[in-house]
Amino acid sequence: MKSKLVVLLALGIFTTSCISVRTKSKRTIVAKEKYTPVDQDLYTTIVALDKRFFDAYNTCDLKIQDELISEDLEFFHDKGGLSTSKTQIMEAMKNNICGKVTRTLIDGTIEVYPIPGYGAVQMGEHKFYNNQEPNAKSIPSKFITIWKNDNGTWQMTRIVSTHKN
């Protein structure tokens, strides 16, 4: 129940990052003001953790990836569904990602908000490139990551990944 509440909170913050305005028969999205971190130290920490994880992801450093993923991970993927087995996720990365897929963060898209008594929620956009299909178009996708701080040890506990097609 607590994990569902954390995910719902993150989705609520994510969806309020823009305002929807309805005009006659059209729907227009109006961006809110530019994001400014509410806690610069937390923002810097989470951006560094994101970089550490995805540098490991892009170079197939499974040891670092394993360190940053919680045993009770819930990974919500709009195409693949819910995954809750860290072992299966690590196997999938080893077999399907290593040397085949790279991730790039879209500059300026990360937002970080504190979750008191737990850690932080990170939201942003990134692209994935399939190295096996170098001419394939990479479309930006959105993500939400819930980071838990356990006495200075940060791990991802919830991830929501969405794609445009």
Side-chain angles (χ1 to χ4, degrees):
M1 179 64 178
K2 185 176 180 181
S3 68
K4 288 181 184 177
L5 180 62
V6 170
V7 170
L8 288 174
L9 172 67
L11 287 172
I13 292 170
F14 192 61
T15 57
T16 58
S17 65
C18 40
I19 301 168
S20 177
V21 178
R22 191 171 282 283
T23 59
K24 291 190 184 179
S25 64
K26 268 196 213 178
R27 187 173 185 192
T28 306
I29 302 296
V30 180
K32 287 176 84 175
E33 61 191 58
K34 185 177 184 257
Y35 167 76
T36 303
V38 296
D39 181 332
Q40 186 62 51
D41 289 339
L42 179 64
Y43 178 85
T44 301
T45 296
I46 298 301
V47 168
L49 288 165
D50 179 90
K51 180 177 179 358
R52 184 170 182 232
F53 180 81
F54 281 103
D55 282 352
Y57 179 96
N58 290 341
T59 60
C60 199
D61 187 335
L62 294 170
K63 182 177 185 280
I64 289 178
Q65 291 176 65
D66 185 70
E67 289 173 12
L68 293 171
I69 295 174
S70 172
E71 290 297 329
D72 72 338
L73 178 72
E74 291 182 353
F75 180 75
F76 301 87
H77 193 281
D78 67 335
K79 305 290 184 202
L82 172 63
S83 299
T84 59
S85 168
K86 178 179 177 177
T87 302
Q88 288 177 350
I89 290 169
M90 292 302 298
E91 268 307 301
M93 284 196 284
K94 178 181 174 185
N95 297 329
N96 303 316
I97 303 297
C98 286
K100 299 173 187 164
V101 177
T102 55
R103 180 256 200 176
T104 59
L105 180 66
I106 298 175
D107 289 337
T109 63
I110 288 184
E111 295 183 20
V112 175
Y113 300 91
I115 301 176
Y118 191 84
V121 58
Q122 170 194 11
M123 299 171 292
E125 293 186 39
H126 52 197
K127 289 184 178 183
F128 291 91
Y129 297 90
N130 182 339
N131 302 333
Q132 310 301 302
E133 299 175 19
N135 295 326
K137 185 177 179 183
S138 179
I139 298 171
S141 58
K142 296 182 181 192
F143 69 93
I144 301 170
T145 304
I146 307 296
W147 290 90
K148 183 176 184 180
N149 182 0
D150 188 8
N151 295 314
T153 299
W154 288 90
Q155 288 188 312
M156 295 179 283
T157 58
R158 307 292 177 265
I159 301 170
V160 178
S161 181
T162 64
H163 299 83
K164 292 184 179 182
N165 53 330

